Amino acid sequence: MAFGGFHPVSGVDLPRFAGIATFMRLPHITFDDPRLSEVEIGLIGVPWDGGTTNRPGPRHAPRQLRDCSTMVRFQNGATKVRPYDLARCADLGDVGPNPADVADSLARITAFYDKVRDAGIIPLSAGGDHLCTLPILRALAKDRPLGMVHFDSHTDLFHSYFGGFKYTHGTPFRRAVEEELLDPKRVCMIGIRGSAYDFEDRDFADAVGIRVIPIEEFHARGVDDVMAEAREIVGSAETYVSYDIDFVDPTFAPGTGTPEIGGPNSFQALQVVRALQGLNIIGADLVEVSPPVDPSGGTAFLGATILFELLCVIAESKALKLAA
Amino acid sequence: MAFGGFHPVSGVDLPRFAGIATFMRLPHITFDDPRLSEVEIGLIGVPWDGGTTNRPGPRHAPRQLRDCSTMVRFQNGATKVRPYDLARCADLGDVGPNPADVADSLARITAFYDKVRDAGIIPLSAGGDHLCTLPILRALAKDRPLGMVHFDSHTDLFHSYFGGFKYTHGTPFRRAVEEELLDPKRVCMIGIRGSAYDFEDRDFADAVGIRVIPIEEFHARGVDDVMAEAREIVGSAETYVSYDIDFVDPTFAPGTGTPEIGGPNSFQALQVVRALQGLNIIGADLVEVSPPVDPSGGTAFLGATILFELLCVIAESKALKLAA
Amino acid sequence: MAFGGFHPVSGVDLPRFAGIATFMRLPHITFDDPRLSEVEIGLIGVPWDGGTTNRPGPRHAPRQLRDCSTMVRFQNGATKVRPYDLARCADLGDVGPNPADVADSLARITAFYDKVRDAGIIPLSAGGDHLCTLPILRALAKDRPLGMVHFDSHTDLFHSYFGGFKYTHGTPFRRAVEEELLDPKRVCMIGIRGSAYDFEDRDFADAVGIRVIPIEEFHARGVDDVMAEAREIVGSAETYVSYDIDFVDPTFAPGTGTPEIGGPNSFQALQVVRALQGLNIIGADLVEVSPPVDPSGGTAFLGATILFELLCVIAESKALKLAA
Amino acid sequence: MAFGGFHPVSGVDLPRFAGIATFMRLPHITFDDPRLSEVEIGLIGVPWDGGTTNRPGPRHAPRQLRDCSTMVRFQNGATKVRPYDLARCADLGDVGPNPADVADSLARITAFYDKVRDAGIIPLSAGGDHLCTLPILRALAKDRPLGMVHFDSHTDLFHSYFGGFKYTHGTPFRRAVEEELLDPKRVCMIGIRGSAYDFEDRDFADAVGIRVIPIEEFHARGVDDVMAEAREIVGSAETYVSYDIDFVDPTFAPGTGTPEIGGPNSFQALQVVRALQGLNIIGADLVEVSPPVDPSGGTAFLGATILFELLCVIAESKALKLAA
Amino acid sequence: MAFGGFHPVSGVDLPRFAGIATFMRLPHITFDDPRLSEVEIGLIGVPWDGGTTNRPGPRHAPRQLRDCSTMVRFQNGATKVRPYDLARCADLGDVGPNPADVADSLARITAFYDKVRDAGIIPLSAGGDHLCTLPILRALAKDRPLGMVHFDSHTDLFHSYFGGFKYTHGTPFRRAVEEELLDPKRVCMIGIRGSAYDFEDRDFADAVGIRVIPIEEFHARGVDDVMAEAREIVGSAETYVSYDIDFVDPTFAPGTGTPEIGGPNSFQALQVVRALQGLNIIGADLVEVSPPVDPSGGTAFLGATILFELLCVIAESKALKLAA
Amino acid sequence: MAFGGFHPVSGVDLPRFAGIATFMRLPHITFDDPRLSEVEIGLIGVPWDGGTTNRPGPRHAPRQLRDCSTMVRFQNGATKVRPYDLARCADLGDVGPNPADVADSLARITAFYDKVRDAGIIPLSAGGDHLCTLPILRALAKDRPLGMVHFDSHTDLFHSYFGGFKYTHGTPFRRAVEEELLDPKRVCMIGIRGSAYDFEDRDFADAVGIRVIPIEEFHARGVDDVMAEAREIVGSAETYVSYDIDFVDPTFAPGTGTPEIGGPNSFQALQVVRALQGLNIIGADLVEVSPPVDPSGGTAFLGATILFELLCVIAESKALKLAA
């Protein structure tokens, strides 16, 4: 069919199980497509899990997330936002990683996002493991540190693994702070929990001023209170949002490699995103969905719904800025 | 073994995994059985999903629900009700649908329920998809509109699909209102959520006076408050209860074709039924359980437990009427 | 619906996924039913696995086999036999076992089959584990030893387990020979394979004259040659057929507790039964299907097809005897 | 990336799990794309199972087949054919069906294939259930009957179901013969087996001259002999190939709705296609893959490999014709 | 590698998926090992489900729990306790049961725990079904009755099953009270729910003074309030903790044989254990995890986390006593 | 229990589902154990899949293989060999890899096998992906090239991937020939099949003299003929055996990352190993079992059985050499 504009195909026209699966049923726009310049928000897959120290699998997430995202419709039932009326959106395809080499993959990812940034497109990314966020930040935060709202059960602030190896999915934000891609004073980590080997990561957070909100505090205070603090921490300056699916309790999101018992439920998983409304978001990602661990697709469907909620707040934020 | 009255087989006599699976291990009574006239509440399967626009499967639900219902015992742990001491119950078997024709299936279902109604039996039905409720209502509400408590994540009030097709699982209650099977002023829909293409269904609800309680309101107000309002809306007149399993959060009830993230948990899934105690219920159904999507049977076990809770409130309501 | 004679419900009338699941969609006839005296072949479930020394589960097999048997139609595609035109068949329900006591369960099973034998019904049984065959033989071979064709990967001729315990699914035929329920000279075991602790079982077989055909010989000689020998061994006298699903290669029949690599494929699994045509079969069983190990139902569907093939040869054999 | 010609993406450049999944990683060409006129072979999905009388699911097959087809590389390991060097191939997307109406869906499918035929493209289709083949034939065989090689466990030659309904997945070839879309003398059906209700279909085949090769004959004669006969039956005139995945034994292809025990293994499943080399094939399909019954994707991977083998013989046949 | 002391292997040294799986990656110490005398807390598997009246499987739990426990690290994220710094812990292996005999298995289990008790080791056990707790108590409470905190959806206080059989997983605490292994006044049962056949168990509880807190009360009062009462009931005297995984809602813990809808979520599942801090715990178990019902391992991972929480409170309690 | 010699625990003493899972239930002997010097054959896990270019997972294989290997008994049913009577066997544990670095992992594996070689132990290894074989060969073939019998669907002879990366599971034998670890004239690759990108690997094989037997030839000639040739190629000199589970047809061995349709069945999978009897085998491995792709364990059970067959031929070969 002819290009129908930057709008998803409707399930009333073509059933949702039909058609080639792109993110949200959006048009696929490649870098050499003349319409690229019109795109405002780009959904991108990063099919790579080379930083995974335990159970692999997130390299398969972009394809499963695309599949499940075809179940999502146009307007947000809770917030009434219609993102495709607010911003031109497209599926920009996948970064091509090198499964056999960590350093080469990091370079390939940054190169891809350099182009996205240069095209003025806000990237909404689907990992991949959490190490993927580091090369994305290297492109987006090239010239100044960003704030970050980080949903996760782990801080990912460790120094190294296996005798000094510095690039794993447990280390990206240590590196990002070291490389001045993040302003630690404007970083808030929410949902941290689970057993640990030591306190090295928490000590680092304390030392540089990252605010860590453990899950016990989250459950005690509730979504509204916690998110009000998070909004205050990042403020109105440029902010990145990184959402590790293991933030959510593993019963609601079993498809992930390093689950930790006792997280938020699925309603809260959406509420925390809705509470980002109005922030100055210049990029976001959803990482660590691992299809081999949940072939049912339940986790990916939750993930696709979170991506849609992120898309809504980004599109609304963008529309507000234009209006201002 | 000899006919033991309208009572389930006990697991202390015959282990629950043994024996031919009928609903709740009740006797199977067919229309030509002389004992039919004694039955007060009939459990019926409607193995049909011809109205499904997305992922099919509910045609397989009656068999899986029968299997899982053999796990349920005689008395309600929370309310202490012993339904089989209050009413004569039986499994009336399945309606025979026509998988290859929507109109013929609708006619077959209504014909079956005409007989049930004429026999003075209160039907407790296990779908099938939600379009099954329409032909049931055509039999039960033949001569006057009913009130309805409707648990669901969707309103099922849409006008048509795929260019004007009026009979799908997204349209039954639009038809039921048009056909005056339901009194919209006495209809309450609870748990509505998820993304949407437009507001057509909600506009219709507003226009005819159906009360829609979205999930955000449900979570904010709590079960007791919401159900008090629902009870008030339907009042003491004749009421139908329609329970779509996708009312429940998909983590608790993954086995369904059109899940929406963020619904009630399994305890709330039972609480809302218990809160129907004392209403004038003349029929009820549980629909949209889809075994191919949850072969583990977890969803069907929840469904069987919901059926038992529905049976308890119906039996108690019936006993109260007789006592009055 | 009214009793339609001893004939299954057709899928052209009622779709095969609809209706309460009995074996082959046959009528359920209980011991107190006046029609019992008309039944010639009775399908019976024995939901018990109390003799299982490794992975439990066959207690769940009768229900899953009933479910899958609703997929089987009326006439045999290969042999053209229409069993329901040759013999009156019914589902006699399940034996009620005692999951918490081996001796009590053995007694209950024999008591059930005493009634079946006394009613002149040929039993076609669905286990349960292989220990179930012993109490069945105690009823059927009460007054004279039987011949037996035994399909299995194990001989089940061991003496005892765990320090002298004599009743497990590894010992039924040792007991049956000791109790003179089987005439070892008329017993043929086909498909034996897998690793072993010692040769005790094989030494016993040799000592009493049981013919054991290992899988290597089966593959080398082929179905026709092996089955010709088996037919010769049991001859024209009364014969029991015991079919352990683990005879079949575990890829074709994964749902079993003690699989052994390298067995026959699914076509051969049916061919060996067809080769029993004309034998004087006075009972048969299919055992060791374990639903928890194959929730997909693939193994049970193969099992239900094997039951149908057994039914065909029994019905044909019965018809021939009547004609003689 | 820029359009790279009608050639799949290589896994050495982009890992096979990465990228938006199209059939064989081919470019997606829509009807309004100017490159459409260059396409010689079009892969098309028909996500519709409205004719299914038993277990639904094939509507989901095109997406799962696309996913699994990304595992297939460029050249055939057995025949050495490199199809993309012989013909310009593309993914033409999916036909948009109407899940709620059989007649409308049949019309939509035929309309789609009318365009394909008019564009001079040979369609290689992925169903959908077997009723999909009828509307395809209505387009391709509009002006003269075709020959057909048909791999299946069922003849699909029945007259009607459920009291006269003529359009189900058990009737397409009865209709096709009646409508003179097929020349029954040039039709060969291979692999037929399983239980049946009656012989109506086989009687029809005999009456009109369709050659039916049951599975027992297939196993006895072997692939080479059977396929030599099939080639002779269809001869050098225009021929359609219809491959129902349930031709293959259900252990090798569990993901289908109406399995029958005892079919060919996976090696034979490929061999029969390779034996079509040199025929005058003007279209082909693979139908009845049902993802909900095999979420592992094993059946779809076999299906994708069969599609590749079909693509190889079609491309080679086309190249030979051009050379002639 | 050399014996590294009573400390788990770290995942930073050896990835958590590597190595032979012992409980918590602790050293395996057998009864004949000279280091046995140094062990203070012993993790023990009881792979037996001979008391199961419904769906079997817990015999497989110790192995799956060991596997999943390798995911748990050293220090408690919520309470900051580092148990291996407080007590010498080891995996003592499995009790060897007799799957074919209930009485023999009960005797074997008690004999094993007699040795554990005599060695002065606090046992933390992984069942097995709930009947396993009885023979453990026979060893630990040999000379005086104990108090007990019991998390479960069932009281397990029934008298007998199947016509008088007294030893099943529904009767252990009836026996334990009769045998004076438990002081009923110091027993608190939390989370009781689900349908029932009668009130026999609850009547017994009332008669002997066991405190039963049904789930409705649990949800209404909250964890803190309920656990304060439980702590008061057992007081400072010696106490056993028995945790049936079916205490947790079956969505969070599907891998169990007798699930009941509506229990606590996974966060609460951990909170109730943390609330045992400071009690005088002389043994604990986690029972009824059934791997065949949840092969994904999600239930076992929750179970392993509960075992770790139990280990933390036991180690801390032990350390406090030593300090006192 | 006390050390019982180098012999597995018997399932007649301790049920096979009980106990900590080591390979074949053998004692776990670490490098610092004084009994190491007595070990003749060591089973070793290599939990690493860092060379995987497509679907990851083999890092989890050693644990699943250990679990399934507890099902295997002491003597070979087909060959009657009792390996533990012929050689002292032990489980040597796992190599500790570095999941985040390919080069470091290769070095760690070689270092481990250097010790094994120096201890005079024949290693029987369980991968891991096929790249694991390279560092093993670097230890075993340090001082002279070996012959190799290689069962696989791929040659693994490619030069490089992703723009020049030389160490993936598609390249180990290219490297091994280059490094003179293998004598290509004494290498035979059996079962090769599937689609390909080009003929680079086959051209290399031809150039250096490796004999490649494609699957079509294997099926046409049969096991005996093919294996006779393989035995002739490697002769009586020192030989390594590398068995990739994807040699077997994916229906029989679905749990692998790069399946190819049309391989040997499970009986042939064992026959080819038995045909190695008498060769001078100095090491062997089984690789590419991927548990996430087959959580049922069916593939791992086949794999454990293949390991046992390999153990039998190694033990017998060793015994023969000692006798000579």
Side-chain angles (χ1 to χ4, degrees), chain A residues 1-2 19 32 63 67 70 94, chain D residues 1-2 19 32 63 67 70 94:
Chain A
M1 70 199 68
D32 65 322
R63 192 169 289 173
D67 185 11
T70 64
D94 278 1
Chain D
M1 70 200 69
D32 65 321
R63 192 169 291 172
D67 185 12
T70 63
D94 278 1

Side-chain angles (χ1 to χ4, degrees), chain B residues 1-3 13-23 25 28 30-32 47-48 59-60 63 66-68 70 91-99 108 295, chain C residues 1-3 13-23 25 28 30-32 47-48 59-60 63 66-68 70 91-99 108 295:
Chain B
M1 69 199 68
F3 180 67
D13 298 328
L14 185 73
R16 289 180 281 170
F17 51 79
I20 293 167
T22 59
F23 282 123
R25 312 187 90 190
H28 177 204
T30 55
F31 281 139
D32 65 321
W48 185 62
R59 68 179 73 181
H60 297 293
R63 192 168 289 172
R66 278 192 179 91
D67 184 12
C68 292
T70 65
D91 183 331
L92 303 188
D94 278 1
V95 181
N98 180 342
R108 288 172 183 227
Chain C
M1 69 200 69
F3 180 68
D13 298 328
L14 185 71
R16 289 180 281 169
F17 51 79
I20 292 167
T22 58
F23 281 124
R25 312 187 90 189
H28 177 205
T30 56
F31 282 138
D32 65 321
W48 185 62
R59 68 179 73 180
H60 297 294
R63 192 168 290 171
R66 278 192 179 91
D67 184 13
C68 291
T70 65
D91 183 331
L92 302 189
D94 278 1
V95 181
N98 181 343
R108 289 172 182 226

Side-chain angles (χ1 to χ4, degrees), chain A residues 1-3 13-22 28 30-32 47 59-60 63 66-67 70 91 94 96-97 99, chain D residues 1-3 14-22 28 30-32 47 59-60 63 66-67 70 91 94 96-97 99 108:
Chain A
M1 70 199 68
F3 180 67
D13 298 326
L14 185 73
R16 289 180 280 167
F17 51 79
I20 293 167
T22 58
H28 178 203
T30 55
F31 282 139
D32 65 322
R59 69 178 74 178
H60 297 295
R63 192 169 289 173
R66 279 192 179 90
D67 185 11
T70 64
D91 182 333
D94 278 1
Chain D
M1 70 200 69
F3 180 68
L14 185 72
R16 289 181 281 168
F17 50 79
I20 293 168
T22 58
H28 177 203
T30 55
F31 282 139
D32 65 321
R59 71 180 71 180
H60 297 295
R63 192 169 291 172
R66 278 193 179 90
D67 185 12
T70 63
D91 183 332
D94 278 1
R108 290 172 182 226

Side-chain angles (χ1 to χ4, degrees), chain D residues 246-260:
Chain D
D246 71 26
F247 166 69
V248 189
D249 187 78
T251 293
F252 296 86
T256 195
T258 317
E260 307 291 348

